[in-house]
Amino acid sequence: QVQLVESGGGLVQPGGSLRLSCVASGINFNSNVMAWYRQAPGKQRDHVAHISSGGSTNYADSVTGRFTISRDNAKNTVYLQMNSLKPEDTAVYYCNTSTNAARGYWGQGTQVTVSS
């Protein structure tokens, strides 16, 4: 029933930007917190950012000042604007309906590769 579809990943040079999107269905989107996570090769899946139903945002220290999470409830979509990208940002990025990685639902992920 619940489906999350991420898109917007790709290959970008260090210092570049990407904008990720996640379209949700099967949930009451307007009432849900939405979050972005990422998983780099050989590492655990970590929280990147989340946005509450009311629009309050939180960011991991590693991305604060560079990434911006936003949502468009009319489109059931959450976005992640990523600026000043670094090689260490390389990961598969996932959206989720919870701030707890052990709960909620996952999308299929979208690959972000930051390399020269």
Side-chain angles (χ1 to χ4, degrees):
Q1 291 294 313
V2 178
Q3 189 170 48
L4 305 173
V5 181
E6 300 96 334
S7 63
L11 175 64
V12 64
Q13 295 183 356
S17 298
L18 285 173
R19 188 193 191 206
L20 307 183
S21 299
C22 173
V23 180
S25 60
I27 64 169
N28 190 351
F29 186 86
N30 292 0
S31 299
N32 261 94
V33 65
M34 294 297 297
W36 286 97
Y37 293 75
R38 67 185 182 186
Q39 187 166 23
K43 296 186 177 181
Q44 64 184 0
R45 190 171 299 184
D46 289 330
H47 171 269
V48 175
H50 67 263
I51 182 167
S52 73
S53 60
S56 298
T57 59
N58 287 275
Y59 299 91
D61 289 345
S62 58
V63 307
T64 295
R66 300 188 298 120
F67 291 10
T68 303
I69 188 171
S70 62
R71 65 193 296 160
D72 186 338
N73 289 343
K75 297 180 179 179
N76 281 14
T77 301
V78 61
Y79 303 96
L80 187 67
Q81 177 67 45
M82 306 186 296
N83 299 325
S84 301
L85 283 162
K86 305 174 180 179
E88 48 264 47
D89 294 319
T90 295
V92 178
Y93 284 72
Y94 302 88
C95 63
N96 192 273
T97 58
S98 178
T99 56
N100 185 340
R103 305 178 70 89
Y105 297 89
W106 297 105
Q108 83 288 347
T110 185
Q111 176 72 50
V112 172
T113 302
V114 184
S115 176
S116 59

